[in-house]
Every structure is written in structure tokens, then in C-alpha cells.
Amino acid sequence: MRRVLASLLAVCVLVAVVTAAPTCPQYDGSTPVFFPDENDSSSFYECSNGRSVHMACPTGTVWNSNINTCDWPQSRK
């Protein structure tokens, strides 16, 4: 039983580490900091005073890291 619980705990920790939000700079600079949501192309993270805020793109658009904004899917190529 202990082995099963230990295995479940290890999996939970691994999932938490893999799905953790990105690390943001402590203070906002003159240029905003963005990170893509690796699990959802229509979402992204914006840093604000050391915290990452999960944001959603408008319907039908996806995050484009090349230009740091939501864009039409066909434009990302």
C-alpha cells in the first residue's frame, strides 16, 4: 500500500512540475513578458509583478510567440 501511495505522490509532483506556470521576473520592465501555454495554443501567460497570469486569446485565434500577440492560425506559419 505504501508503494502505491508513494508512486501516486511521485506522479502528482511530476504533473505539478510539468504543468507549472512559467517563472516571471520579479518586477515589470518596460517591455511586457509573455510565455505560450504549452498545453493550449489559444492561451498564453503574461507576467505582472512577478506573477504569471493565464490569458485566453479571442475565439478563433492562437498565441503567436513571434509577434507576442494572438493571431490567426494561418498567420503563424
Side-chain angles (χ1 to χ4, degrees):
M1 182 68 167
R2 281 187 177 176
R3 293 173 88 183
V4 171
L5 290 175
S7 296
L8 285 174
L9 179 60
V11 169
C12 290
V13 168
L14 180 61
V15 168
V17 169
V18 170
T19 60
T23 302
C24 291
Q26 181 76 25
Y27 302 102
D28 291 346
S30 59
T31 304
V33 177
F34 300 101
F35 294 97
D37 181 334
E38 299 296 334
N39 298 311
D40 181 6
S41 63
S42 66
S43 297
F44 62 98
Y45 293 92
E46 181 176 1
C47 293
S48 177
N49 295 313
R51 293 184 171 193
S52 60
V53 180
H54 194 252
M55 309 286 284
C57 290
T59 302
T61 62
V62 294
W63 181 250
N64 185 335
S65 292
N66 295 324
I67 57 175
N68 280 336
T69 191
C70 297
D71 199 5
W72 300 109
Q74 59 272 22
S75 299
R76 287 193 333 167
K77 296 177 183 173

Short mmCIF file of all heavy atoms in Angstrom, two decimals:
data_model
loop_
_atom_site.label_atom_id
_atom_site.label_comp_id
_atom_site.label_asym_id
_atom_site.label_seq_id
_atom_site.Cartn_x
_atom_site.Cartn_y
_atom_site.Cartn_z
N MET A 1 0.82 -1.20 0.00
CA MET A 1 0.00 0.00 0.00
C MET A 1 0.86 1.26 0.00
O MET A 1 0.57 2.21 -0.68
CB MET A 1 -0.94 -0.04 1.22
CG MET A 1 -1.86 1.13 1.30
SD MET A 1 -3.06 1.06 -0.02
CE MET A 1 -4.20 2.25 0.52
N ARG A 2 1.94 1.24 0.80
CA ARG A 2 2.83 2.40 0.85
C ARG A 2 3.48 2.67 -0.50
O ARG A 2 3.67 3.81 -0.88
CB ARG A 2 3.92 2.19 1.89
CG ARG A 2 3.46 2.43 3.29
CD ARG A 2 4.63 2.38 4.22
NE ARG A 2 4.19 2.68 5.56
CZ ARG A 2 4.95 2.65 6.61
NH1 ARG A 2 6.22 2.31 6.48
NH2 ARG A 2 4.48 2.94 7.79
N ARG A 3 3.82 1.61 -1.20
CA ARG A 3 4.45 1.76 -2.51
C ARG A 3 3.49 2.42 -3.49
O ARG A 3 3.88 3.27 -4.29
CB ARG A 3 4.93 0.42 -3.04
CG ARG A 3 6.07 -0.14 -2.22
CD ARG A 3 6.42 -1.51 -2.65
NE ARG A 3 7.41 -1.45 -3.72
CZ ARG A 3 7.89 -2.49 -4.35
NH1 ARG A 3 7.46 -3.69 -4.03
NH2 ARG A 3 8.78 -2.36 -5.28
N VAL A 4 2.23 2.04 -3.43
CA VAL A 4 1.23 2.63 -4.31
C VAL A 4 1.05 4.11 -4.00
O VAL A 4 1.03 4.96 -4.90
CB VAL A 4 -0.12 1.88 -4.19
CG1 VAL A 4 -1.22 2.60 -4.94
CG2 VAL A 4 0.01 0.45 -4.68
N LEU A 5 0.95 4.44 -2.72
CA LEU A 5 0.80 5.85 -2.33
C LEU A 5 2.04 6.66 -2.71
O LEU A 5 1.92 7.80 -3.19
CB LEU A 5 0.54 5.95 -0.83
CG LEU A 5 -0.83 5.46 -0.38
CD1 LEU A 5 -0.93 5.51 1.15
CD2 LEU A 5 -1.94 6.27 -1.00
N ALA A 6 3.21 6.09 -2.54
CA ALA A 6 4.44 6.79 -2.90
C ALA A 6 4.48 7.02 -4.41
O ALA A 6 4.89 8.08 -4.88
CB ALA A 6 5.65 6.00 -2.44
N SER A 7 4.06 6.03 -5.18
CA SER A 7 4.02 6.18 -6.64
C SER A 7 3.04 7.25 -7.06
O SER A 7 3.32 8.06 -7.94
CB SER A 7 3.66 4.85 -7.30
OG SER A 7 4.65 3.89 -7.05
N LEU A 8 1.86 7.26 -6.44
CA LEU A 8 0.87 8.28 -6.76
C LEU A 8 1.37 9.68 -6.41
O LEU A 8 1.18 10.63 -7.16
CB LEU A 8 -0.44 8.00 -6.02
CG LEU A 8 -1.28 6.87 -6.56
CD1 LEU A 8 -2.47 6.59 -5.64
CD2 LEU A 8 -1.77 7.19 -7.96
N LEU A 9 2.03 9.81 -5.29
CA LEU A 9 2.59 11.09 -4.88
C LEU A 9 3.65 11.54 -5.89
O LEU A 9 3.67 12.71 -6.29
CB LEU A 9 3.19 10.99 -3.48
CG LEU A 9 3.85 12.27 -2.96
CD1 LEU A 9 2.82 13.41 -2.89
CD2 LEU A 9 4.47 12.03 -1.61
N ALA A 10 4.50 10.64 -6.33
CA ALA A 10 5.54 10.98 -7.30
C ALA A 10 4.92 11.44 -8.61
O ALA A 10 5.38 12.42 -9.21
CB ALA A 10 6.45 9.77 -7.54
N VAL A 11 3.87 10.79 -9.05
CA VAL A 11 3.19 11.20 -10.29
C VAL A 11 2.56 12.57 -10.12
O VAL A 11 2.67 13.43 -11.01
CB VAL A 11 2.13 10.15 -10.70
CG1 VAL A 11 1.23 10.67 -11.80
CG2 VAL A 11 2.81 8.86 -11.13
N CYS A 12 1.94 12.83 -8.99
CA CYS A 12 1.32 14.13 -8.74
C CYS A 12 2.37 15.25 -8.74
O CYS A 12 2.15 16.32 -9.31
CB CYS A 12 0.57 14.14 -7.42
SG CYS A 12 -0.93 13.14 -7.45
N VAL A 13 3.50 15.01 -8.14
CA VAL A 13 4.57 16.01 -8.12
C VAL A 13 5.08 16.25 -9.52
O VAL A 13 5.28 17.39 -9.94
CB VAL A 13 5.72 15.57 -7.18
CG1 VAL A 13 6.95 16.44 -7.36
CG2 VAL A 13 5.25 15.59 -5.74
N LEU A 14 5.27 15.19 -10.29
CA LEU A 14 5.74 15.33 -11.67
C LEU A 14 4.75 16.13 -12.51
O LEU A 14 5.13 17.03 -13.25
CB LEU A 14 5.96 13.95 -12.29
CG LEU A 14 6.45 13.94 -13.74
CD1 LEU A 14 7.80 14.65 -13.85
CD2 LEU A 14 6.55 12.52 -14.25
N VAL A 15 3.47 15.85 -12.38
CA VAL A 15 2.44 16.58 -13.12
C VAL A 15 2.45 18.05 -12.71
O VAL A 15 2.36 18.94 -13.55
CB VAL A 15 1.05 15.95 -12.91
CG1 VAL A 15 -0.05 16.87 -13.41
CG2 VAL A 15 0.97 14.60 -13.59
N ALA A 16 2.59 18.33 -11.44
CA ALA A 16 2.62 19.71 -10.96
C ALA A 16 3.82 20.45 -11.52
O ALA A 16 3.72 21.62 -11.91
CB ALA A 16 2.63 19.75 -9.44
N VAL A 17 4.96 19.80 -11.61
CA VAL A 17 6.16 20.45 -12.15
C VAL A 17 6.00 20.69 -13.64
O VAL A 17 6.33 21.76 -14.14
CB VAL A 17 7.41 19.59 -11.85
CG1 VAL A 17 8.61 20.10 -12.63
CG2 VAL A 17 7.69 19.58 -10.37
N VAL A 18 5.48 19.73 -14.37
CA VAL A 18 5.33 19.85 -15.82
C VAL A 18 4.31 20.91 -16.18
O VAL A 18 4.48 21.65 -17.14
CB VAL A 18 4.95 18.49 -16.45
CG1 VAL A 18 4.56 18.64 -17.89
CG2 VAL A 18 6.11 17.51 -16.29
N THR A 19 3.24 21.02 -15.43
CA THR A 19 2.17 21.96 -15.77
C THR A 19 2.28 23.29 -15.03
O THR A 19 1.38 24.11 -15.10
CB THR A 19 0.80 21.33 -15.48
OG1 THR A 19 0.71 21.02 -14.10
CG2 THR A 19 0.57 20.10 -16.33
N ALA A 20 3.37 23.50 -14.32
CA ALA A 20 3.52 24.74 -13.57
C ALA A 20 3.60 25.94 -14.51
O ALA A 20 4.10 25.85 -15.62
CB ALA A 20 4.77 24.67 -12.71
N ALA A 21 3.09 27.04 -14.04
CA ALA A 21 3.15 28.28 -14.81
C ALA A 21 4.60 28.73 -14.91
O ALA A 21 5.43 28.40 -14.06
CB ALA A 21 2.30 29.33 -14.14
N PRO A 22 4.92 29.50 -15.93
CA PRO A 22 6.30 29.95 -16.11
C PRO A 22 6.74 30.90 -14.99
O PRO A 22 5.92 31.51 -14.31
CB PRO A 22 6.26 30.69 -17.45
CG PRO A 22 4.83 30.98 -17.71
CD PRO A 22 4.03 29.97 -16.98
N THR A 23 8.03 31.00 -14.83
CA THR A 23 8.61 31.90 -13.83
C THR A 23 8.78 33.28 -14.44
O THR A 23 9.38 33.43 -15.49
CB THR A 23 9.98 31.38 -13.36
OG1 THR A 23 9.79 30.07 -12.82
CG2 THR A 23 10.56 32.28 -12.31
N CYS A 24 8.24 34.27 -13.79
CA CYS A 24 8.27 35.65 -14.28
C CYS A 24 9.32 36.46 -13.54
O CYS A 24 9.67 36.14 -12.40
CB CYS A 24 6.91 36.31 -14.08
SG CYS A 24 5.64 35.64 -15.14
N PRO A 25 9.80 37.54 -14.17
CA PRO A 25 10.70 38.45 -13.46
C PRO A 25 9.99 39.06 -12.25
O PRO A 25 8.78 39.25 -12.27
CB PRO A 25 11.03 39.53 -14.49
CG PRO A 25 10.45 39.10 -15.78
CD PRO A 25 9.53 37.97 -15.53
N GLN A 26 10.75 39.39 -11.23
CA GLN A 26 10.19 39.94 -10.00
C GLN A 26 9.42 41.24 -10.26
O GLN A 26 8.36 41.45 -9.69
CB GLN A 26 11.32 40.21 -9.01
CG GLN A 26 10.86 40.78 -7.68
CD GLN A 26 10.23 39.74 -6.78
OE1 GLN A 26 10.51 38.56 -6.89
NE2 GLN A 26 9.38 40.16 -5.88
N TYR A 27 9.96 42.10 -11.11
CA TYR A 27 9.33 43.39 -11.37
C TYR A 27 9.09 43.57 -12.86
O TYR A 27 9.85 43.08 -13.68
CB TYR A 27 10.21 44.54 -10.85
CG TYR A 27 10.50 44.43 -9.38
CD1 TYR A 27 11.71 43.96 -8.92
CD2 TYR A 27 9.52 44.78 -8.45
CE1 TYR A 27 11.97 43.84 -7.57
CE2 TYR A 27 9.77 44.66 -7.09
CZ TYR A 27 10.99 44.19 -6.65
OH TYR A 27 11.23 44.06 -5.31
N ASP A 28 8.05 44.29 -13.19
CA ASP A 28 7.75 44.57 -14.59
C ASP A 28 8.78 45.54 -15.15
O ASP A 28 9.16 46.52 -14.51
CB ASP A 28 6.36 45.20 -14.74
CG ASP A 28 5.25 44.22 -14.41
OD1 ASP A 28 5.53 43.01 -14.34
OD2 ASP A 28 4.11 44.66 -14.22
N GLY A 29 9.23 45.27 -16.36
CA GLY A 29 10.14 46.16 -17.06
C GLY A 29 9.38 47.01 -18.05
O GLY A 29 8.14 47.08 -18.03
N SER A 30 10.09 47.64 -18.94
CA SER A 30 9.44 48.49 -19.94
C SER A 30 8.77 47.67 -21.04
O SER A 30 7.88 48.15 -21.73
CB SER A 30 10.45 49.46 -20.55
OG SER A 30 11.51 48.74 -21.16
N THR A 31 9.19 46.40 -21.19
CA THR A 31 8.61 45.51 -22.20
C THR A 31 7.89 44.37 -21.49
O THR A 31 8.49 43.70 -20.64
CB THR A 31 9.72 44.93 -23.11
OG1 THR A 31 10.45 46.01 -23.68
CG2 THR A 31 9.13 44.07 -24.20
N PRO A 32 6.63 44.13 -21.82
CA PRO A 32 5.91 43.01 -21.18
C PRO A 32 6.57 41.67 -21.49
O PRO A 32 7.20 41.50 -22.53
CB PRO A 32 4.52 43.08 -21.81
CG PRO A 32 4.42 44.42 -22.44
CD PRO A 32 5.80 44.85 -22.77
N VAL A 33 6.43 40.71 -20.58
CA VAL A 33 6.97 39.37 -20.75
C VAL A 33 5.81 38.41 -20.93
O VAL A 33 4.88 38.40 -20.12
CB VAL A 33 7.84 38.96 -19.54
CG1 VAL A 33 8.34 37.54 -19.69
CG2 VAL A 33 9.00 39.93 -19.38
N PHE A 34 5.86 37.61 -21.99
CA PHE A 34 4.82 36.63 -22.31
C PHE A 34 5.44 35.25 -22.45
O PHE A 34 6.60 35.12 -22.84
CB PHE A 34 4.13 36.98 -23.63
CG PHE A 34 3.47 38.32 -23.65
CD1 PHE A 34 4.08 39.40 -24.27
CD2 PHE A 34 2.23 38.51 -23.07
CE1 PHE A 34 3.47 40.64 -24.31
CE2 PHE A 34 1.60 39.74 -23.09
CZ PHE A 34 2.23 40.81 -23.71
N PHE A 35 4.65 34.22 -22.16
CA PHE A 35 5.03 32.84 -22.40
C PHE A 35 3.85 32.13 -23.05
O PHE A 35 2.70 32.37 -22.67
CB PHE A 35 5.34 32.11 -21.09
CG PHE A 35 6.56 32.63 -20.38
CD1 PHE A 35 6.44 33.55 -19.35
CD2 PHE A 35 7.81 32.17 -20.73
CE1 PHE A 35 7.55 34.02 -18.69
CE2 PHE A 35 8.94 32.64 -20.07
CZ PHE A 35 8.81 33.56 -19.04
N PRO A 36 4.10 31.24 -24.01
CA PRO A 36 2.99 30.47 -24.57
C PRO A 36 2.50 29.44 -23.56
O PRO A 36 3.26 29.01 -22.68
CB PRO A 36 3.63 29.78 -25.79
CG PRO A 36 5.07 29.68 -25.45
CD PRO A 36 5.39 30.90 -24.61
N ASP A 37 1.26 29.07 -23.66
CA ASP A 37 0.72 27.96 -22.88
C ASP A 37 1.03 26.70 -23.68
O ASP A 37 0.47 26.51 -24.76
CB ASP A 37 -0.79 28.12 -22.67
CG ASP A 37 -1.39 27.00 -21.84
OD1 ASP A 37 -0.82 25.89 -21.82
OD2 ASP A 37 -2.43 27.24 -21.21
N GLU A 38 1.94 25.89 -23.20
CA GLU A 38 2.39 24.71 -23.95
C GLU A 38 1.28 23.68 -24.16
O GLU A 38 1.39 22.82 -25.02
CB GLU A 38 3.58 24.06 -23.24
CG GLU A 38 4.78 24.97 -23.10
CD GLU A 38 5.40 25.37 -24.43
OE1 GLU A 38 5.26 24.64 -25.43
OE2 GLU A 38 6.02 26.46 -24.47
N ASN A 39 0.22 23.77 -23.38
CA ASN A 39 -0.88 22.80 -23.48
C ASN A 39 -2.08 23.31 -24.27
O ASN A 39 -3.00 22.56 -24.54
CB ASN A 39 -1.34 22.39 -22.08
CG ASN A 39 -0.23 21.72 -21.32
OD1 ASN A 39 0.43 20.82 -21.81
ND2 ASN A 39 0.02 22.18 -20.11
N ASP A 40 -2.09 24.60 -24.59
CA ASP A 40 -3.24 25.19 -25.27
C ASP A 40 -2.78 26.36 -26.14
O ASP A 40 -2.42 27.42 -25.62
CB ASP A 40 -4.26 25.68 -24.24
CG ASP A 40 -5.50 26.30 -24.85
OD1 ASP A 40 -5.65 26.27 -26.09
OD2 ASP A 40 -6.33 26.82 -24.08
N SER A 41 -2.76 26.17 -27.44
CA SER A 41 -2.24 27.20 -28.35
C SER A 41 -3.08 28.47 -28.38
O SER A 41 -2.63 29.50 -28.86
CB SER A 41 -2.10 26.64 -29.77
OG SER A 41 -3.37 26.29 -30.28
N SER A 42 -4.29 28.41 -27.84
CA SER A 42 -5.13 29.61 -27.82
C SER A 42 -5.03 30.36 -26.50
O SER A 42 -5.84 31.23 -26.21
CB SER A 42 -6.59 29.25 -28.12
OG SER A 42 -7.12 28.47 -27.08
N SER A 43 -4.01 30.03 -25.71
CA SER A 43 -3.79 30.69 -24.42
C SER A 43 -2.32 31.06 -24.27
O SER A 43 -1.46 30.52 -24.96
CB SER A 43 -4.20 29.78 -23.27
OG SER A 43 -5.57 29.49 -23.32
N PHE A 44 -2.06 31.95 -23.34
CA PHE A 44 -0.69 32.37 -23.06
C PHE A 44 -0.63 32.90 -21.63
O PHE A 44 -1.64 33.03 -20.96
CB PHE A 44 -0.24 33.46 -24.05
CG PHE A 44 -1.07 34.72 -23.99
CD1 PHE A 44 -0.63 35.82 -23.27
CD2 PHE A 44 -2.29 34.81 -24.65
CE1 PHE A 44 -1.39 36.98 -23.21
CE2 PHE A 44 -3.05 35.97 -24.60
CZ PHE A 44 -2.60 37.06 -23.87
N TYR A 45 0.58 33.17 -21.16
CA TYR A 45 0.79 33.75 -19.84
C TYR A 45 1.39 35.14 -20.02
O TYR A 45 2.28 35.33 -20.85
CB TYR A 45 1.76 32.91 -19.01
CG TYR A 45 1.20 31.56 -18.63
CD1 TYR A 45 1.43 30.45 -19.43
CD2 TYR A 45 0.46 31.40 -17.48
CE1 TYR A 45 0.93 29.20 -19.09
CE2 TYR A 45 -0.06 30.16 -17.13
CZ TYR A 45 0.18 29.06 -17.94
OH TYR A 45 -0.32 27.84 -17.60
N GLU A 46 0.92 36.09 -19.24
CA GLU A 46 1.51 37.42 -19.21
C GLU A 46 2.03 37.65 -17.79
O GLU A 46 1.34 37.37 -16.81
CB GLU A 46 0.48 38.48 -19.55
CG GLU A 46 1.05 39.88 -19.55
CD GLU A 46 0.05 40.94 -19.99
OE1 GLU A 46 -1.11 40.61 -20.30
OE2 GLU A 46 0.45 42.10 -20.02
N CYS A 47 3.25 38.15 -17.70
CA CYS A 47 3.85 38.40 -16.39
C CYS A 47 3.39 39.76 -15.86
O CYS A 47 3.29 40.73 -16.61
CB CYS A 47 5.36 38.38 -16.49
SG CYS A 47 6.00 36.74 -16.87
N SER A 48 3.11 39.79 -14.57
CA SER A 48 2.71 41.03 -13.92
C SER A 48 3.25 41.02 -12.49
O SER A 48 2.79 40.23 -11.67
CB SER A 48 1.19 41.16 -13.91
OG SER A 48 0.79 42.32 -13.24
N ASN A 49 4.27 41.85 -12.24
CA ASN A 49 4.87 41.98 -10.91
C ASN A 49 5.26 40.63 -10.30
O ASN A 49 4.93 40.32 -9.16
CB ASN A 49 3.94 42.74 -9.97
CG ASN A 49 3.77 44.17 -10.42
OD1 ASN A 49 4.76 44.83 -10.73
ND2 ASN A 49 2.55 44.64 -10.47
N GLY A 50 5.95 39.81 -11.09
CA GLY A 50 6.46 38.54 -10.59
C GLY A 50 5.49 37.38 -10.67
O GLY A 50 5.85 36.25 -10.35
N ARG A 51 4.28 37.61 -11.11
CA ARG A 51 3.29 36.54 -11.22
C ARG A 51 2.90 36.33 -12.67
O ARG A 51 2.83 37.28 -13.45
CB ARG A 51 2.03 36.88 -10.43
CG ARG A 51 2.25 36.93 -8.96
CD ARG A 51 0.96 37.17 -8.25
NE ARG A 51 1.15 36.99 -6.82
CZ ARG A 51 0.17 36.89 -5.98
NH1 ARG A 51 -1.07 36.98 -6.39
NH2 ARG A 51 0.41 36.73 -4.70
N SER A 52 2.61 35.09 -13.03
CA SER A 52 2.13 34.80 -14.37
C SER A 52 0.60 34.75 -14.34
O SER A 52 0.01 34.15 -13.45
CB SER A 52 2.71 33.48 -14.89
OG SER A 52 2.33 32.42 -14.06
N VAL A 53 0.00 35.43 -15.28
CA VAL A 53 -1.45 35.48 -15.38
C VAL A 53 -1.86 34.74 -16.65
O VAL A 53 -1.39 35.08 -17.74
CB VAL A 53 -1.94 36.94 -15.43
CG1 VAL A 53 -3.46 36.99 -15.54
CG2 VAL A 53 -1.45 37.72 -14.23
N HIS A 54 -2.69 33.72 -16.49
CA HIS A 54 -3.14 32.94 -17.65
C HIS A 54 -4.19 33.72 -18.41
O HIS A 54 -5.17 34.18 -17.83
CB HIS A 54 -3.70 31.59 -17.18
CG HIS A 54 -3.87 30.62 -18.28
ND1 HIS A 54 -5.11 30.27 -18.76
CD2 HIS A 54 -2.97 29.92 -19.00
CE1 HIS A 54 -4.95 29.39 -19.74
NE2 HIS A 54 -3.67 29.17 -19.89
N MET A 55 -3.96 33.89 -19.71
CA MET A 55 -4.85 34.67 -20.55
C MET A 55 -5.32 33.81 -21.73
O MET A 55 -4.60 32.91 -22.17
CB MET A 55 -4.12 35.90 -21.10
CG MET A 55 -3.41 36.74 -20.05
SD MET A 55 -4.53 37.68 -19.05
CE MET A 55 -4.96 38.97 -20.18
N ALA A 56 -6.50 34.11 -22.24
CA ALA A 56 -7.03 33.40 -23.40
C ALA A 56 -7.09 34.34 -24.60
O ALA A 56 -7.43 35.52 -24.46
CB ALA A 56 -8.43 32.86 -23.10
N CYS A 57 -6.75 33.81 -25.76
CA CYS A 57 -6.87 34.58 -27.00
C CYS A 57 -8.34 34.66 -27.39
O CYS A 57 -9.15 33.80 -27.00
CB CYS A 57 -6.11 33.88 -28.12
SG CYS A 57 -4.31 33.94 -27.93
N PRO A 58 -8.72 35.67 -28.18
CA PRO A 58 -10.09 35.72 -28.69
C PRO A 58 -10.41 34.47 -29.50
O PRO A 58 -9.52 33.85 -30.09
CB PRO A 58 -10.10 36.96 -29.57
CG PRO A 58 -8.99 37.81 -29.06
CD PRO A 58 -7.94 36.83 -28.58
N THR A 59 -11.66 34.11 -29.55
CA THR A 59 -12.11 32.92 -30.27
C THR A 59 -11.59 32.92 -31.70
O THR A 59 -11.66 33.92 -32.39
CB THR A 59 -13.65 32.86 -30.28
OG1 THR A 59 -14.11 32.85 -28.92
CG2 THR A 59 -14.15 31.61 -30.99
N GLY A 60 -11.04 31.79 -32.09
CA GLY A 60 -10.55 31.62 -33.46
C GLY A 60 -9.10 32.02 -33.66
O GLY A 60 -8.54 31.83 -34.73
N THR A 61 -8.47 32.58 -32.62
CA THR A 61 -7.07 32.97 -32.74
C THR A 61 -6.20 32.11 -31.83
O THR A 61 -6.69 31.44 -30.93
CB THR A 61 -6.86 34.46 -32.40
OG1 THR A 61 -7.23 34.69 -31.03
CG2 THR A 61 -7.68 35.36 -33.31
N VAL A 62 -4.90 32.15 -32.09
CA VAL A 62 -3.93 31.39 -31.32
C VAL A 62 -2.77 32.31 -30.94
O VAL A 62 -2.57 33.36 -31.55
CB VAL A 62 -3.40 30.17 -32.12
CG1 VAL A 62 -4.51 29.16 -32.36
CG2 VAL A 62 -2.78 30.61 -33.43
N TRP A 63 -2.00 31.91 -29.93
CA TRP A 63 -0.86 32.71 -29.50
C TRP A 63 0.28 32.58 -30.50
O TRP A 63 0.63 31.48 -30.93
CB TRP A 63 -0.38 32.29 -28.12
CG TRP A 63 0.77 33.11 -27.66
CD1 TRP A 63 2.06 32.71 -27.54
CD2 TRP A 63 0.74 34.48 -27.31
NE1 TRP A 63 2.82 33.76 -27.11
CE2 TRP A 63 2.04 34.87 -26.97
CE3 TRP A 63 -0.27 35.45 -27.24
CZ2 TRP A 63 2.37 36.15 -26.57
CZ3 TRP A 63 0.05 36.72 -26.84
CH2 TRP A 63 1.35 37.07 -26.51
N ASN A 64 0.83 33.70 -30.92
CA ASN A 64 1.96 33.73 -31.85
C ASN A 64 3.15 34.33 -31.10
O ASN A 64 3.22 35.54 -30.89
CB ASN A 64 1.59 34.57 -33.08
CG ASN A 64 2.67 34.55 -34.13
OD1 ASN A 64 3.84 34.34 -33.85
ND2 ASN A 64 2.27 34.80 -35.37
N SER A 65 4.10 33.47 -30.71
CA SER A 65 5.27 33.92 -29.95
C SER A 65 6.21 34.79 -30.77
O SER A 65 7.01 35.54 -30.21
CB SER A 65 6.05 32.72 -29.41
OG SER A 65 5.28 32.05 -28.44
N ASN A 66 6.12 34.71 -32.08
CA ASN A 66 6.99 35.53 -32.94
C ASN A 66 6.66 37.01 -32.83
O ASN A 66 7.54 37.86 -32.99
CB ASN A 66 6.89 35.09 -34.40
CG ASN A 66 7.41 33.69 -34.60
OD1 ASN A 66 8.38 33.28 -33.97
ND2 ASN A 66 6.77 32.94 -35.48
N ILE A 67 5.39 37.31 -32.58
CA ILE A 67 4.98 38.72 -32.50
C ILE A 67 4.34 39.06 -31.15
O ILE A 67 3.84 40.16 -30.96
CB ILE A 67 4.03 39.09 -33.67
CG1 ILE A 67 2.79 38.19 -33.70
CG2 ILE A 67 4.77 39.03 -34.99
CD1 ILE A 67 1.75 38.58 -34.75
N ASN A 68 4.34 38.09 -30.22
CA ASN A 68 3.80 38.28 -28.86
C ASN A 68 2.39 38.83 -28.83
O ASN A 68 2.08 39.76 -28.10
CB ASN A 68 4.73 39.17 -28.03
CG ASN A 68 5.91 38.41 -27.50
OD1 ASN A 68 5.86 37.20 -27.34
ND2 ASN A 68 6.98 39.11 -27.22
N THR A 69 1.53 38.20 -29.61
CA THR A 69 0.12 38.56 -29.59
C THR A 69 -0.70 37.40 -30.16
O THR A 69 -0.16 36.48 -30.77
CB THR A 69 -0.15 39.86 -30.38
OG1 THR A 69 -1.47 40.31 -30.12
CG2 THR A 69 0.04 39.67 -31.88
N CYS A 70 -2.00 37.45 -29.98
CA CYS A 70 -2.88 36.46 -30.58
C CYS A 70 -3.00 36.79 -32.06
O CYS A 70 -2.98 37.95 -32.46
CB CYS A 70 -4.25 36.48 -29.90
SG CYS A 70 -4.17 36.03 -28.15
N ASP A 71 -3.12 35.74 -32.88
CA ASP A 71 -3.08 35.90 -34.32
C ASP A 71 -3.95 34.82 -34.96
O ASP A 71 -4.30 33.83 -34.32
CB ASP A 71 -1.62 35.75 -34.77
CG ASP A 71 -1.33 36.33 -36.14
OD1 ASP A 71 -2.24 36.94 -36.74
OD2 ASP A 71 -0.19 36.17 -36.60
N TRP A 72 -4.25 35.00 -36.22
CA TRP A 72 -4.98 33.97 -36.94
C TRP A 72 -4.08 32.75 -37.12
O TRP A 72 -2.88 32.91 -37.38
CB TRP A 72 -5.46 34.48 -38.29
CG TRP A 72 -6.38 35.65 -38.15
CD1 TRP A 72 -6.12 36.94 -38.48
CD2 TRP A 72 -7.71 35.64 -37.61
NE1 TRP A 72 -7.19 37.74 -38.17
CE2 TRP A 72 -8.19 36.96 -37.65
CE3 TRP A 72 -8.54 34.65 -37.09
CZ2 TRP A 72 -9.45 37.32 -37.18
CZ3 TRP A 72 -9.80 35.00 -36.64
CH2 TRP A 72 -10.24 36.31 -36.68
N PRO A 73 -4.61 31.54 -36.99
CA PRO A 73 -3.77 30.33 -37.09
C PRO A 73 -2.95 30.27 -38.37
O PRO A 73 -1.79 29.88 -38.35
CB PRO A 73 -4.77 29.17 -37.02
CG PRO A 73 -5.97 29.74 -36.35
CD PRO A 73 -6.00 31.21 -36.73
N GLN A 74 -3.50 30.66 -39.47
CA GLN A 74 -2.79 30.57 -40.74
C GLN A 74 -1.63 31.56 -40.84
O GLN A 74 -0.73 31.40 -41.64
CB GLN A 74 -3.73 30.74 -41.94
CG GLN A 74 -4.47 32.05 -41.99
CD GLN A 74 -5.79 32.07 -41.23
OE1 GLN A 74 -6.02 31.25 -40.34
NE2 GLN A 74 -6.67 32.99 -41.59
N SER A 75 -1.59 32.56 -39.99
CA SER A 75 -0.52 33.54 -40.00
C SER A 75 0.73 33.09 -39.27
O SER A 75 1.80 33.67 -39.42
CB SER A 75 -1.00 34.86 -39.36
OG SER A 75 -2.06 35.39 -40.08
N ARG A 76 0.61 32.04 -38.44
CA ARG A 76 1.74 31.57 -37.64
C ARG A 76 2.79 30.84 -38.46
O ARG A 76 3.87 30.61 -37.99
CB ARG A 76 1.29 30.63 -36.53
CG ARG A 76 0.57 31.36 -35.44
CD ARG A 76 0.38 30.55 -34.20
NE ARG A 76 0.32 29.10 -34.40
CZ ARG A 76 0.40 28.24 -33.42
NH1 ARG A 76 0.56 28.64 -32.20
NH2 ARG A 76 0.32 26.95 -33.65
N LYS A 77 2.50 30.47 -39.65
CA LYS A 77 3.42 29.64 -40.45
C LYS A 77 4.60 30.42 -40.96
O LYS A 77 4.72 31.55 -41.02
CB LYS A 77 2.67 29.02 -41.61
CG LYS A 77 1.60 28.07 -41.10
CD LYS A 77 0.81 27.51 -42.22
CE LYS A 77 -0.28 26.61 -41.66
NZ LYS A 77 -1.21 26.13 -42.58
#
